[in-house]
Amino acid sequence: MAAPPSTRRETFLSFQPPAIGEQEVAAVADTLRSGWLTTGPRAAELERRFAEYVGARHALAVTSGTAALHLALVALGVGPGDEVITTPITWPATANVVVHTGARPVFADVRDSDLNIDPDEVARLVGRRTKAILPVHLAGQPADLDPLLELGPPVVEDAAHAVEAAYRGRKIGAISEATCFSLYATKNVAAGEGGLITTNSDALARAVDDHRIMRRGSGSRYDIAVPGYKANLSDVLASIALCQLDKLERHRDIRLRHVAAYDAAVAELDGIEPLARDPRDTHALHLYVVRIDPERAGATRDEYQRALAEEMIGTSIHFLPVHELTAYRERYPEQPPLPVAERAGREVLSLPLSPAHTDADVADAIAALRRVHDRFAGGS
Ligand SMILES: *Cc1c(COP(=O)(O)O)cnc(C)c1O
């Protein structure tokens, strides 16, 4: 192996900058000139195109991925006294929305290979109160859906990382009762903020629609069927999301190249291993997560993250186990240990991955990782 370059970057490499260009700028300007600031024709077009993209009957645009998850649970009738089984290795929003409904999040431990929810653990936890199962497709690797779907309770997918993903040839977004996507600034379709719920159920789509906005209707009188929320997506954001949908394949080609470069590099670094990607599935390549084994890699994840920051390389952590965060420790003190998730929470590190990065940026990140590894692991 050639000696890695010994110089660090002059400018900091952001972990996940959005890939926004002139097309998005022009689309926003057009939308503002159109006079539609709130939900209008762009949001409707986004829903049409996204439903077609995933092959679902309905797509409903909302203000965030969090709102998408919350409204999907509300539409399913999840409420006080119910339980929703979910994964601890996720952004806290996945569990928070369960709390918002008045139900209780029940955490099932994850699989060591890809850190997705373990269907055997879920099967052990399903009971009379289980109202839904809420898996996350971590990093873009689909969770093992078939055994979850067989358990009985409706499955709601957190597909915030999984726009392009397919599970055993079936596109994510058209498989379970409801699938929830995020349009947050770092996600594969980045509008800044926003979310989408896809479903094949007319009843669920209607229930989500009833809750996401109160319609004024026509005439001098108006009425509401339910005391709903306010979670409709603005056309300004929808117009950005539409541009990002146009670029999805081009962006995927860049992600594929960067992931291949990382795979080749970490294969030579003892104690640094990427999460498993199942060749039977299509991975959305949203994150490149490695696990750092402190014994073999010579230092902890936190030490690697600090050393990479000194090398001007931004990284992130996906995720700390939700049940170990203060709000959850205080709320559910009787939570049993989840050993696989807890170990993973100390070992995971996400390397820079974005279609806004150049090949040279990724080469810089790899060179920095090699230098840090040489230092900590003694040049193995
Ligand atoms: C980003 C994210 C969310 C929340 O999406 P927002 O659009 O930020 O509300 C939920 N779950 C996971 C796994 C995420 O990464």
Side-chain angles (χ1 to χ4, degrees), residues 193-242:
E193 300 287 353
L196 285 151
I197 301 155
T198 62
T199 182
N200 288 323
S201 158
D202 296 345
L204 190 120
R206 201 171 321 112
V208 167
D209 192 38
D210 282 345
H211 282 94
R212 78 174 154 172
I213 188 168
M214 289 180 281
R215 296 189 189 289
R216 288 205 169 264
S218 55
S220 62
R221 291 190 55 79
Y222 56 80
D223 196 11
I224 57 169
V226 292
Y229 301 91
K230 186 65 163 68
N232 52 303
L233 185 70
S234 146
D235 259 25
V236 179
L237 295 171
S239 67
I240 302 175
L242 282 164

Short mmCIF file of all heavy atoms in Angstrom, two decimals, residues 193-242:
data_model
loop_
_atom_site.label_atom_id
_atom_site.label_comp_id
_atom_site.label_asym_id
_atom_site.label_seq_id
_atom_site.Cartn_x
_atom_site.Cartn_y
_atom_site.Cartn_z
N GLU A 193 -36.42 20.83 5.25
CA GLU A 193 -37.34 20.16 6.18
C GLU A 193 -38.46 19.55 5.34
O GLU A 193 -38.73 20.00 4.23
CB GLU A 193 -37.94 21.15 7.19
CG GLU A 193 -36.94 21.86 8.07
CD GLU A 193 -36.31 20.98 9.16
OE1 GLU A 193 -36.74 19.82 9.32
OE2 GLU A 193 -35.38 21.47 9.83
N GLY A 194 -39.14 18.56 5.90
CA GLY A 194 -40.27 17.96 5.22
C GLY A 194 -40.30 16.47 5.42
O GLY A 194 -39.33 15.88 5.94
N GLY A 195 -41.42 15.86 5.07
CA GLY A 195 -41.55 14.42 5.20
C GLY A 195 -42.66 13.91 4.30
O GLY A 195 -43.44 14.69 3.74
N LEU A 196 -42.69 12.60 4.10
CA LEU A 196 -43.72 11.97 3.28
C LEU A 196 -44.16 10.66 3.94
O LEU A 196 -43.32 9.93 4.49
CB LEU A 196 -43.19 11.65 1.88
CG LEU A 196 -43.03 12.85 0.93
CD1 LEU A 196 -41.91 12.61 -0.06
CD2 LEU A 196 -44.35 13.13 0.21
N ILE A 197 -45.47 10.40 3.88
CA ILE A 197 -46.00 9.10 4.31
C ILE A 197 -46.53 8.41 3.07
O ILE A 197 -47.30 9.02 2.32
CB ILE A 197 -47.17 9.30 5.30
CG1 ILE A 197 -46.72 10.07 6.52
CG2 ILE A 197 -47.80 7.95 5.68
CD1 ILE A 197 -47.85 10.80 7.20
N THR A 198 -46.10 7.17 2.83
CA THR A 198 -46.68 6.42 1.72
C THR A 198 -47.46 5.24 2.27
O THR A 198 -47.11 4.67 3.31
CB THR A 198 -45.62 5.92 0.72
OG1 THR A 198 -44.73 5.02 1.40
CG2 THR A 198 -44.83 7.07 0.11
N THR A 199 -48.54 4.89 1.57
CA THR A 199 -49.39 3.78 2.00
C THR A 199 -50.24 3.29 0.83
O THR A 199 -50.52 4.06 -0.09
CB THR A 199 -50.31 4.21 3.17
OG1 THR A 199 -51.09 3.08 3.59
CG2 THR A 199 -51.25 5.34 2.78
N ASN A 200 -50.62 2.03 0.90
CA ASN A 200 -51.58 1.50 -0.07
C ASN A 200 -53.00 1.50 0.49
O ASN A 200 -53.93 1.09 -0.19
CB ASN A 200 -51.19 0.07 -0.47
CG ASN A 200 -49.96 0.06 -1.35
OD1 ASN A 200 -49.78 0.94 -2.20
ND2 ASN A 200 -49.09 -0.93 -1.16
N SER A 201 -53.15 1.94 1.73
CA SER A 201 -54.46 1.91 2.38
C SER A 201 -55.19 3.25 2.20
O SER A 201 -54.71 4.29 2.65
CB SER A 201 -54.27 1.62 3.88
OG SER A 201 -55.40 2.07 4.61
N ASP A 202 -56.35 3.21 1.56
CA ASP A 202 -57.14 4.43 1.37
C ASP A 202 -57.57 4.99 2.73
O ASP A 202 -57.58 6.20 2.94
CB ASP A 202 -58.40 4.13 0.54
CG ASP A 202 -58.07 3.67 -0.88
OD1 ASP A 202 -56.91 3.85 -1.31
OD2 ASP A 202 -58.97 3.14 -1.55
N ALA A 203 -57.92 4.10 3.65
CA ALA A 203 -58.40 4.55 4.97
C ALA A 203 -57.29 5.25 5.73
O ALA A 203 -57.51 6.30 6.36
CB ALA A 203 -58.94 3.36 5.76
N LEU A 204 -56.08 4.67 5.69
CA LEU A 204 -54.97 5.30 6.41
C LEU A 204 -54.62 6.66 5.79
O LEU A 204 -54.39 7.64 6.49
CB LEU A 204 -53.75 4.39 6.44
CG LEU A 204 -52.69 4.93 7.39
CD1 LEU A 204 -52.38 3.92 8.50
CD2 LEU A 204 -51.41 5.34 6.69
N ALA A 205 -54.62 6.72 4.45
CA ALA A 205 -54.33 7.99 3.77
C ALA A 205 -55.35 9.05 4.18
O ALA A 205 -55.00 10.20 4.45
CB ALA A 205 -54.32 7.79 2.26
N ARG A 206 -56.62 8.66 4.24
CA ARG A 206 -57.67 9.62 4.61
C ARG A 206 -57.46 10.09 6.05
O ARG A 206 -57.57 11.27 6.36
CB ARG A 206 -59.06 9.00 4.43
CG ARG A 206 -60.16 10.03 4.31
CD ARG A 206 -61.51 9.40 3.90
NE ARG A 206 -61.39 8.34 2.92
CZ ARG A 206 -61.63 7.04 3.16
NH1 ARG A 206 -62.02 6.64 4.36
NH2 ARG A 206 -61.48 6.15 2.20
N ALA A 207 -57.14 9.16 6.93
CA ALA A 207 -56.94 9.53 8.34
C ALA A 207 -55.74 10.47 8.50
O ALA A 207 -55.81 11.44 9.26
CB ALA A 207 -56.76 8.27 9.19
N VAL A 208 -54.65 10.19 7.78
CA VAL A 208 -53.49 11.09 7.84
C VAL A 208 -53.90 12.47 7.33
O VAL A 208 -53.57 13.50 7.93
CB VAL A 208 -52.31 10.53 7.01
CG1 VAL A 208 -51.23 11.60 6.80
CG2 VAL A 208 -51.71 9.29 7.67
N ASP A 209 -54.62 12.49 6.22
CA ASP A 209 -55.02 13.77 5.62
C ASP A 209 -55.91 14.57 6.58
O ASP A 209 -55.76 15.78 6.75
CB ASP A 209 -55.73 13.51 4.30
CG ASP A 209 -55.90 14.78 3.50
OD1 ASP A 209 -54.97 15.62 3.50
OD2 ASP A 209 -56.96 14.96 2.87
N ASP A 210 -56.82 13.89 7.26
CA ASP A 210 -57.71 14.56 8.21
C ASP A 210 -56.92 15.21 9.34
O ASP A 210 -57.35 16.23 9.89
CB ASP A 210 -58.69 13.56 8.84
CG ASP A 210 -59.85 13.23 7.90
OD1 ASP A 210 -60.04 13.97 6.91
OD2 ASP A 210 -60.54 12.22 8.17
N HIS A 211 -55.80 14.58 9.71
CA HIS A 211 -55.05 15.08 10.86
C HIS A 211 -53.95 16.07 10.50
O HIS A 211 -53.45 16.78 11.36
CB HIS A 211 -54.41 13.90 11.63
CG HIS A 211 -55.40 13.18 12.49
ND1 HIS A 211 -56.07 12.05 12.05
CD2 HIS A 211 -55.85 13.42 13.74
CE1 HIS A 211 -56.87 11.63 13.01
NE2 HIS A 211 -56.76 12.43 14.05
N ARG A 212 -53.54 16.12 9.24
CA ARG A 212 -52.38 16.98 8.94
C ARG A 212 -52.77 18.43 8.74
O ARG A 212 -51.95 19.32 8.85
CB ARG A 212 -51.59 16.45 7.74
CG ARG A 212 -52.19 16.75 6.41
CD ARG A 212 -51.29 16.32 5.28
NE ARG A 212 -52.12 16.07 4.11
CZ ARG A 212 -51.66 15.83 2.90
NH1 ARG A 212 -50.35 15.77 2.70
NH2 ARG A 212 -52.48 15.60 1.90
N ILE A 213 -54.04 18.69 8.37
CA ILE A 213 -54.45 20.08 8.17
C ILE A 213 -55.96 20.21 8.37
O ILE A 213 -56.70 19.28 8.06
CB ILE A 213 -54.05 20.57 6.76
CG1 ILE A 213 -54.30 22.07 6.63
CG2 ILE A 213 -54.76 19.79 5.67
CD1 ILE A 213 -53.67 22.69 5.39
N MET A 214 -56.37 21.34 8.89
CA MET A 214 -57.80 21.63 8.98
C MET A 214 -58.19 22.42 7.75
O MET A 214 -57.61 23.45 7.45
CB MET A 214 -58.10 22.43 10.24
CG MET A 214 -57.96 21.60 11.49
SD MET A 214 -58.32 22.55 12.95
CE MET A 214 -56.77 23.43 13.13
N ARG A 215 -59.18 21.92 7.03
CA ARG A 215 -59.59 22.60 5.81
C ARG A 215 -60.67 23.61 6.12
O ARG A 215 -61.58 23.35 6.90
CB ARG A 215 -60.13 21.57 4.81
CG ARG A 215 -59.04 20.61 4.41
CD ARG A 215 -59.46 19.71 3.27
NE ARG A 215 -58.42 18.70 3.12
CZ ARG A 215 -57.21 18.95 2.63
NH1 ARG A 215 -56.90 20.17 2.22
NH2 ARG A 215 -56.31 17.99 2.55
N ARG A 216 -60.59 24.73 5.45
CA ARG A 216 -61.60 25.76 5.66
C ARG A 216 -62.87 25.47 4.89
O ARG A 216 -63.94 25.94 5.26
CB ARG A 216 -61.06 27.13 5.26
CG ARG A 216 -60.03 27.63 6.24
CD ARG A 216 -59.96 29.15 6.20
NE ARG A 216 -59.16 29.60 7.32
CZ ARG A 216 -59.68 30.01 8.47
NH1 ARG A 216 -60.99 30.02 8.64
NH2 ARG A 216 -58.91 30.40 9.45
N GLY A 217 -62.77 24.73 3.79
CA GLY A 217 -63.94 24.45 2.99
C GLY A 217 -64.46 25.71 2.32
O GLY A 217 -63.73 26.70 2.21
N SER A 218 -65.71 25.70 1.91
CA SER A 218 -66.23 26.86 1.20
C SER A 218 -67.44 27.41 1.95
O SER A 218 -68.01 26.75 2.82
CB SER A 218 -66.61 26.47 -0.23
OG SER A 218 -67.51 25.39 -0.18
N GLY A 219 -67.83 28.61 1.62
CA GLY A 219 -69.02 29.20 2.23
C GLY A 219 -68.70 29.82 3.57
O GLY A 219 -67.55 29.90 4.00
N SER A 220 -69.71 30.20 4.27
CA SER A 220 -69.54 30.96 5.51
C SER A 220 -69.35 30.07 6.72
O SER A 220 -69.00 30.53 7.80
CB SER A 220 -70.75 31.87 5.72
OG SER A 220 -71.91 31.05 5.85
N ARG A 221 -69.61 28.77 6.56
CA ARG A 221 -69.47 27.86 7.70
C ARG A 221 -68.34 26.87 7.44
O ARG A 221 -68.13 26.44 6.33
CB ARG A 221 -70.78 27.08 7.91
CG ARG A 221 -71.92 27.94 8.39
CD ARG A 221 -73.09 27.09 8.81
NE ARG A 221 -72.71 26.09 9.82
CZ ARG A 221 -72.56 26.38 11.11
NH1 ARG A 221 -72.78 27.59 11.55
NH2 ARG A 221 -72.22 25.44 11.96
N TYR A 222 -67.59 26.54 8.49
CA TYR A 222 -66.65 25.44 8.34
C TYR A 222 -66.79 24.53 9.52
O TYR A 222 -67.35 24.90 10.56
CB TYR A 222 -65.22 25.94 8.16
CG TYR A 222 -64.71 26.84 9.24
CD1 TYR A 222 -64.24 26.33 10.44
CD2 TYR A 222 -64.71 28.22 9.06
CE1 TYR A 222 -63.77 27.16 11.43
CE2 TYR A 222 -64.24 29.07 10.04
CZ TYR A 222 -63.78 28.54 11.24
OH TYR A 222 -63.33 29.36 12.21
N ASP A 223 -66.29 23.32 9.36
CA ASP A 223 -66.43 22.32 10.41
C ASP A 223 -65.20 21.42 10.35
O ASP A 223 -64.51 21.37 9.33
CB ASP A 223 -67.71 21.49 10.17
CG ASP A 223 -68.11 20.71 11.41
OD1 ASP A 223 -67.53 20.98 12.50
OD2 ASP A 223 -68.97 19.83 11.29
N ILE A 224 -64.91 20.72 11.44
CA ILE A 224 -63.81 19.77 11.43
C ILE A 224 -64.30 18.43 11.96
O ILE A 224 -65.18 18.37 12.82
CB ILE A 224 -62.59 20.26 12.28
CG1 ILE A 224 -62.99 20.55 13.73
CG2 ILE A 224 -61.95 21.47 11.63
CD1 ILE A 224 -61.80 20.78 14.66
N ALA A 225 -63.71 17.34 11.41
CA ALA A 225 -64.09 15.99 11.83
C ALA A 225 -63.26 15.53 13.02
O ALA A 225 -63.73 14.76 13.86
CB ALA A 225 -63.92 15.02 10.67
N VAL A 226 -62.01 15.99 13.10
CA VAL A 226 -61.12 15.63 14.21
C VAL A 226 -60.33 16.87 14.61
O VAL A 226 -60.09 17.74 13.77
CB VAL A 226 -60.12 14.50 13.82
CG1 VAL A 226 -60.84 13.19 13.59
CG2 VAL A 226 -59.30 14.90 12.60
N PRO A 227 -59.91 16.96 15.88
CA PRO A 227 -59.04 18.08 16.28
C PRO A 227 -57.62 17.81 15.79
O PRO A 227 -56.80 17.25 16.50
CB PRO A 227 -59.13 18.09 17.81
CG PRO A 227 -59.48 16.69 18.19
CD PRO A 227 -60.21 16.07 17.03
N GLY A 228 -57.35 18.19 14.56
CA GLY A 228 -56.11 17.78 13.88
C GLY A 228 -54.91 18.63 14.24
O GLY A 228 -54.99 19.54 15.08
N TYR A 229 -53.80 18.32 13.59
CA TYR A 229 -52.54 19.03 13.80
C TYR A 229 -52.34 20.01 12.65
O TYR A 229 -53.26 20.25 11.86
CB TYR A 229 -51.40 18.02 13.88
CG TYR A 229 -51.60 17.03 14.99
CD1 TYR A 229 -52.28 15.82 14.79
CD2 TYR A 229 -51.15 17.31 16.27
CE1 TYR A 229 -52.49 14.93 15.82
CE2 TYR A 229 -51.36 16.42 17.32
CZ TYR A 229 -52.02 15.23 17.09
OH TYR A 229 -52.22 14.35 18.11
N LYS A 230 -51.13 20.55 12.54
CA LYS A 230 -50.78 21.43 11.42
C LYS A 230 -49.46 20.94 10.89
O LYS A 230 -48.40 21.27 11.40
CB LYS A 230 -50.67 22.87 11.94
CG LYS A 230 -50.47 23.89 10.83
CD LYS A 230 -51.70 23.97 9.91
CE LYS A 230 -51.73 25.22 9.04
NZ LYS A 230 -50.69 25.26 8.03
N ALA A 231 -49.52 20.09 9.88
CA ALA A 231 -48.30 19.42 9.43
C ALA A 231 -48.24 19.32 7.92
O ALA A 231 -47.63 18.41 7.37
CB ALA A 231 -48.20 18.03 10.06
N ASN A 232 -48.88 20.28 7.22
CA ASN A 232 -48.85 20.25 5.75
C ASN A 232 -47.57 20.90 5.24
O ASN A 232 -47.05 21.83 5.83
CB ASN A 232 -50.08 20.96 5.19
CG ASN A 232 -50.27 22.35 5.78
OD1 ASN A 232 -50.37 22.50 7.01
ND2 ASN A 232 -50.27 23.36 4.95
N LEU A 233 -47.05 20.38 4.11
CA LEU A 233 -45.78 20.85 3.55
C LEU A 233 -45.99 22.07 2.66
O LEU A 233 -46.89 22.09 1.83
CB LEU A 233 -45.12 19.72 2.74
CG LEU A 233 -43.71 20.04 2.21
CD1 LEU A 233 -42.70 20.11 3.35
CD2 LEU A 233 -43.27 19.00 1.18
N SER A 234 -45.11 23.06 2.81
CA SER A 234 -45.14 24.26 1.97
C SER A 234 -44.69 23.94 0.53
O SER A 234 -43.80 23.12 0.33
CB SER A 234 -44.21 25.31 2.59
OG SER A 234 -43.59 26.09 1.60
N ASP A 235 -45.28 24.62 -0.42
CA ASP A 235 -44.86 24.46 -1.82
C ASP A 235 -43.41 24.88 -2.04
O ASP A 235 -42.74 24.38 -2.95
CB ASP A 235 -45.77 25.28 -2.75
CG ASP A 235 -46.82 24.41 -3.43
OD1 ASP A 235 -47.15 23.35 -2.86
OD2 ASP A 235 -47.30 24.78 -4.52
N VAL A 236 -42.91 25.83 -1.24
CA VAL A 236 -41.52 26.27 -1.40
C VAL A 236 -40.58 25.09 -1.16
O VAL A 236 -39.67 24.83 -1.96
CB VAL A 236 -41.21 27.43 -0.42
CG1 VAL A 236 -39.75 27.87 -0.57
CG2 VAL A 236 -42.16 28.60 -0.63
N LEU A 237 -40.84 24.33 -0.10
CA LEU A 237 -40.01 23.16 0.20
C LEU A 237 -40.29 22.04 -0.80
O LEU A 237 -39.36 21.34 -1.22
CB LEU A 237 -40.27 22.70 1.63
CG LEU A 237 -39.82 23.71 2.71
CD1 LEU A 237 -40.30 23.28 4.08
CD2 LEU A 237 -38.31 23.87 2.69
N ALA A 238 -41.55 21.87 -1.18
CA ALA A 238 -41.88 20.82 -2.16
C ALA A 238 -41.14 21.05 -3.46
O ALA A 238 -40.69 20.10 -4.11
CB ALA A 238 -43.40 20.77 -2.39
N SER A 239 -40.96 22.32 -3.85
CA SER A 239 -40.28 22.60 -5.13
C SER A 239 -38.80 22.19 -5.05
O SER A 239 -38.23 21.76 -6.06
CB SER A 239 -40.44 24.07 -5.53
OG SER A 239 -39.75 24.92 -4.64
N ILE A 240 -38.19 22.31 -3.86
CA ILE A 240 -36.80 21.85 -3.70
C ILE A 240 -36.77 20.32 -3.77
O ILE A 240 -35.92 19.73 -4.46
CB ILE A 240 -36.20 22.33 -2.36
CG1 ILE A 240 -36.26 23.86 -2.26
CG2 ILE A 240 -34.76 21.83 -2.21
CD1 ILE A 240 -35.80 24.40 -0.91
N ALA A 241 -37.70 19.68 -3.09
CA ALA A 241 -37.74 18.20 -3.08
C ALA A 241 -37.91 17.65 -4.49
O ALA A 241 -37.32 16.63 -4.84
CB ALA A 241 -38.87 17.72 -2.17
N LEU A 242 -38.71 18.34 -5.33
CA LEU A 242 -38.92 17.87 -6.72
C LEU A 242 -37.60 17.90 -7.49
O LEU A 242 -37.30 16.97 -8.24
CB LEU A 242 -39.98 18.74 -7.41
CG LEU A 242 -41.43 18.42 -7.02
CD1 LEU A 242 -42.37 19.55 -7.44
CD2 LEU A 242 -41.87 17.09 -7.64
#
